[in-house]
Amino acid sequence: MMKKTVMAAFIAGVSLFSVVGSVNAEVKFTDLNGHWAKKQIEFAVNDGYVDGYPDGTFKPDQNVSRVEFMKLVVDALKFKKQDASGEWYQPYVNTAVANGIHQLDEFAVDQLTKPITREEMARIAVRATGEANYDAKKWMYLATSKGIIQGLDNKGTLGEDQPTTRAQAITVIERILKIKSGEKIALDKYAKYAASRAEINWHKTNVYTMAQEYFGWGKSIGNEFKVDRLKFENEKGMSEVEKFVVVDMGDPEDPFRVEIPDNMYWTNKVGKQRIKTQEVPLNTYAFLSFNHFTVSTDVPKKYFHYAILHTSPFIKNGDSLDENGNLKDVVTYGTLDEYGSLQSGLIDLKTGDHDMRIITAQLVPKMSGFDGASWGVDRQPCVELGEGSTEISVFVSEVHHDLGE
């Protein structure tokens, strides 16, 4: 009885992605009609690194284990299989390690047959394209920015901890093969949403994804957003920027629009007039600084400086809008304080304990100009907590015409 059980487990593991002799690309799987991945699955079957089951099904929505995904990648990339004894999958694990797409300490031995998560799949997939990375938080960003992994919906939901299905695995591997052949996968706006979310998860901002005309140059030379400069804390209190989010105000479906408070205003300069308005031109990015501070005060504090991020503005001198109603300068965008001024890093505090979150922002015109000009992001220091009065540079980039998108 014991021998039969072991043999059944062995056959189940091997046959899941093995080519069944009587099944080939001409077979119409009974469970693929209308499935979103039908075309990719047929390509993969034709390529010979995956097949269906003897009953004529493919089971596209069945979960894939970690070793099963490794086997798929190893076979799809036609790596020379390493010899190994033990479980059926050990040669594939060894081959994955030998070719740099997996490290032995990343999965415990008794966890190899567990379903692979989408983030774990991203790590193997990115390595399979030949890219090295040593930042554990960056795998999903690299995968989404390359177009290897896309969102689960039209909001760019990543589902990092969700298990991967056979259909998803095949789709990802087909994209790996395209990249390996020299093809660049274009991102539609929904794939861009996923990259935007993944970038925020990586280094607390999506400036690379959403504002390439200003930050693309920094990305190309590895000039990364300095997350370690976002927070100041001592015995007096704490002030930090939790994230810095770019929203495309010309895209009504941008998933981060929902995080903009309803009562945000900016001041439109028209001649000598200053008009507060909530109408934002469509050629605009909103750069949102999500700020958090905690402090206790024995006496009221006027003009308490809390940490915010802001871009280096360019001043055009003249009206805020051009003749077509497009924004042409960087302007403050915020809620109104008790004096009717736009909230931008200063607040009056009453006596007591304070734990506050405030969103401040700027509106920035979309453009690809100012070739070679410096473009940075600075953090306002927490003066009242004793940090000092010098702006802290968080990111410095350089604008180039050919990087605008």
Side-chain angles (χ1 to χ4, degrees):
M1 183 67 177
M2 181 63 175
K3 289 183 178 179
K4 289 183 179 179
T5 302
V6 172
M7 182 58 70
F10 174 80
I11 292 172
V14 174
S15 65
L16 186 55
F17 291 112
S18 297
V19 176
V20 178
S22 61
V23 182
N24 55 55
E26 299 303 317
V27 172
K28 303 299 182 182
F29 297 111
T30 59
D31 55 353
L32 282 188
N33 289 335
H35 195 278
W36 62 269
K38 183 177 185 291
K39 185 176 180 180
Q40 293 92 329
I41 291 169
E42 289 175 346
F43 278 138
V45 171
N46 189 60
D47 203 25
Y49 67 86
V50 69
D51 215 317
Y53 292 83
D55 65 357
T57 64
F58 188 83
K59 298 180 174 42
D61 299 319
Q62 179 173 286
N63 289 342
V64 173
S65 74
R66 291 159 172 167
V67 288
E68 288 164 355
F69 186 70
M70 284 185 219
K71 182 183 186 302
L72 276 174
V73 177
V74 165
D75 287 344
L77 296 182
K78 298 177 172 55
F79 291 143
K80 182 180 178 181
K81 194 162 60 175
Q82 302 287 306
D83 293 329
S85 59
E87 299 289 348
W88 68 265
Y89 51 75
Q90 199 58 53
Y92 297 100
V93 174
N94 290 3
T95 304
V97 172
N99 287 276
I101 64 173
H102 173 58
Q103 295 177 7
L104 283 176
D105 61 352
E106 288 171 337
F107 299 131
V109 174
D110 63 348
Q111 298 295 306
L112 283 168
T113 57
K114 299 293 183 183
I116 191 169
T117 67
R118 286 167 58 80
E119 187 164 34
E120 292 165 349
M121 176 174 62
R123 181 175 65 219
I124 294 174
V126 170
R127 287 175 177 160
T129 66
E131 180 158 354
N133 169 50
Y134 304 98
D135 185 342
K137 294 182 178 180
K138 195 176 180 181
W139 291 116
M140 187 61 85
Y141 166 70
L142 291 173
T144 53
S145 64
K146 285 173 171 285
I148 302 171
I149 291 178
Q150 299 180 1
L152 293 174
D153 54 29
N154 61 4
K155 298 296 183 183
T157 300
L158 297 170
E160 302 97 313
D161 297 329
Q162 293 187 25
T164 301
T165 66
R166 279 166 59 85
Q168 291 168 346
I170 293 302
T171 302
V172 164
I173 291 172
E174 286 298 302
R175 292 170 183 158
I176 292 172
L177 294 173
K178 287 181 179 180
I179 292 173
K180 294 284 284 184
S181 70
E183 183 176 337
K184 183 177 180 180
I185 299 175
L187 303 185
D188 63 20
K189 74 174 184 177
Y190 301 118
K192 194 173 181 180
Y193 296 161
S196 180
R197 289 188 184 279
E199 188 186 349
I200 291 171
N201 291 347
W202 162 39
H203 64 175
K204 299 189 177 183
T205 185
N206 60 348
V207 294
Y208 288 168
T209 305
M210 297 303 298
Q212 285 199 9
E213 64 263 48
Y214 294 116
F215 297 99
W217 182 83
K219 174 184 177 181
S220 69
I221 62 167
N223 185 10
E224 295 183 357
F225 200 75
K226 297 175 177 62
V227 176
D228 60 338
R229 299 184 183 181
L230 298 183
K231 182 176 181 179
F232 179 79
E233 185 173 21
N234 60 17
E235 68 281 357
K236 295 181 181 180
M238 178 279 296
S239 188
E240 67 177 332
V241 176
E242 295 178 322
K243 58 184 178 180
F244 190 57
V245 178
V246 180
V247 180
D248 183 349
M249 299 303 285
D251 180 5
E253 294 185 278
D254 189 307
F256 290 104
R257 287 182 73 103
V258 298
E259 300 199 39
I260 301 176
D262 292 334
N263 55 342
M264 296 282 275
Y265 291 82
W266 64 284
T267 301
N268 182 12
K269 179 183 176 184
V270 182
K272 295 183 178 180
Q273 291 184 321
R274 301 293 182 270
I275 305 169
K276 286 189 175 66
T277 178
Q278 290 190 292
E279 296 296 323
V280 177
L282 298 181
N283 75 314
T284 303
Y285 298 122
F287 284 27
L288 307 177
S289 181
F290 290 76
N291 319 302
H292 177 210
F293 67 85
T294 60
V295 65
S296 295
T297 59
D298 296 328
V299 296
K301 285 187 177 291
K302 194 171 182 64
Y303 303 134
F304 177 84
H305 294 75
Y306 55 91
I308 67 169
L309 291 191
H310 57 85
T311 65
S312 301
F314 48 87
I315 306 299
K316 293 291 241 180
N317 292 322
D319 296 347
S320 301
L321 305 178
D322 64 19
E323 63 277 8
N324 296 315
N326 293 319
L327 188 72
K328 61 179 184 178
D329 204 353
V330 176
V331 297
T332 299
Y333 185 46
T335 57
L336 301 179
D337 63 19
E338 58 185 309
Y339 307 109
S341 299
L342 297 177
Q343 189 68 255
S344 59
L346 291 175
I347 191 170
D348 292 348
L349 297 179
K350 298 179 180 179
T351 303
D353 297 330
H354 304 276
D355 186 341
M356 301 185 68
R357 283 183 166 83
I358 301 173
I359 297 175
T360 57
Q362 291 170 296
L363 298 179
V364 178
K366 301 176 187 177
M367 58 179 59
S368 58
F370 301 101
D371 195 23
S374 176
W375 185 263
V377 177
D378 298 317
R379 178 172 67 79
Q380 173 178 284
C382 321
V383 178
E384 283 71 31
L385 294 182
E387 187 175 17
S389 58
T390 304
E391 295 280 333
I392 295 92
S393 175
V394 175
F395 189 100
V396 177
S397 187
E398 187 172 323
V399 179
H400 284 266
H401 286 293
D402 59 353
L403 288 171
E405 287 192 351

